[in-house]
Structure formats: structure tokens, C-alpha cells
């Protein structure tokens, strides 16, 4: 009988182990948008985010950490915020974001 190989813990954004450049990105990495598309927040694999608002690109930038379904932001200007993921929905700072292109996003857009 062959012993089971333990599954290593999945790295969180910003805490990728050294030499793991080829590791899969965190499942929440990608573009998150409000239903109207006015606010767009890109969560990047290296633990940075870039938020655009309307025509204003790079309105907010900073770093983030994910633990379970919780995200903590540290903006480059010094303020911090947090949010919670629920599948393809992100609740953050009183806003509801959707994973861009997901069925949930399409439904939210259509309901507007």
C-alpha cells in the first residue's frame, strides 16, 4: 500500500513561497466589477490590486491578503479596508462586486 501524499496548503495572495512562480494563482485572482461596471478591481497574482472608477484608471492601488474568504486591503495611501467573498461575489466597502464574466455577474447586469 502506498502512503497518501499530503496536499500542500494553497498559498494566499502575497504569501507565495519562494520558487513558486509556476504555482496556480489564488482562485480569487482576476477582475471584479460592480453590476454597472463603474468600479473595476483587479486582484493580481502577486498580491497587488488596482481599482478603476468610471474613467479614472488606477483610482486606488495597494496590496491585499486573502485568508479563507476574507480579504484585507492596504492601500498605497495608507488606509485599509476588508471584504468577504461568497463564491463569485465580493462584498467590499458597502459595494457588491462580481467576478467579471461569471453567470452571477451577467444576472446582476441583466437585473439592473
Amino acid at each position: 500500500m502506498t502512503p497518501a501524499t499530503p496536499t500542500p496548503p494553497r498559498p494566499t495572495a502575497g504569501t507565495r513561497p519562494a520558487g513558486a512562480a509556476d504555482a496556480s494563482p489564488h482562485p480569487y485572482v482576476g477582475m471584479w466589477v460592480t453590476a454597472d461596471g463603474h468600479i473595476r478591481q483587479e486582484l493580481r497574482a502577486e498580491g497587488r490590486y488596482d481599482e478603476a472608477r468610471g474613467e479614472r484608471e488606477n483610482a486606488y492601488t495597494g496590496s491585499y491578503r486573502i485568508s479563507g474568504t476574507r480579504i484585507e486591503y492596504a492601500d498605497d495611501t495608507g488606509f485599509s479596508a476588508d471584504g468577504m467573498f461568497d463564491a463569485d461575489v465580493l462584498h467590499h466597502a458597502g459595494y457588491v462586486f462580481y467576478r467579471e464574466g461569471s453567470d452571477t455577474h451577467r444576472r446582476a447586469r441583466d437585473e439592473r
Side-chain angles (χ1 to χ4, degrees), residues 60-85:
Y60 297 98
T61 59
S63 61
Y64 71 90
R65 288 182 87 71
I66 295 173
S67 178
T69 58
R70 179 180 169 85
I71 183 169
E72 295 179 8
Y73 299 88
D75 189 82
D76 290 340
T77 62
F79 73 86
S80 61
D82 60 16
M84 294 294 290
F85 292 97

Side-chain angles (χ1 to χ4, degrees), residues 5-63:
T5 304
T7 304
R10 180 176 220 123
T12 58
T15 60
R16 189 168 265 163
D22 60 342
S24 297
H26 192 280
Y28 296 129
V29 164
M31 186 65 74
W32 296 82
V33 297
T34 54
D36 62 4
H38 181 74
I39 304 174
R40 300 165 312 283
Q41 187 178 94
E42 181 184 10
L43 300 180
R44 298 178 178 161
E46 77 276 8
R48 298 280 300 164
Y49 72 91
D50 189 331
E51 183 173 300
R53 293 190 175 222
E55 298 298 315
R56 186 175 167 208
E57 297 295 323
N58 312 109
Y60 297 98
T61 59
S63 61

Side-chain angles (χ1 to χ4, degrees), residues 27-33 87-89 97-102 105:
Y28 296 129
V29 164
M31 186 65 74
W32 296 82
V33 297
D88 286 335
V89 177
F97 291 83
Y98 302 90
R99 182 184 298 280
E100 187 174 52
S102 68
H105 177 218

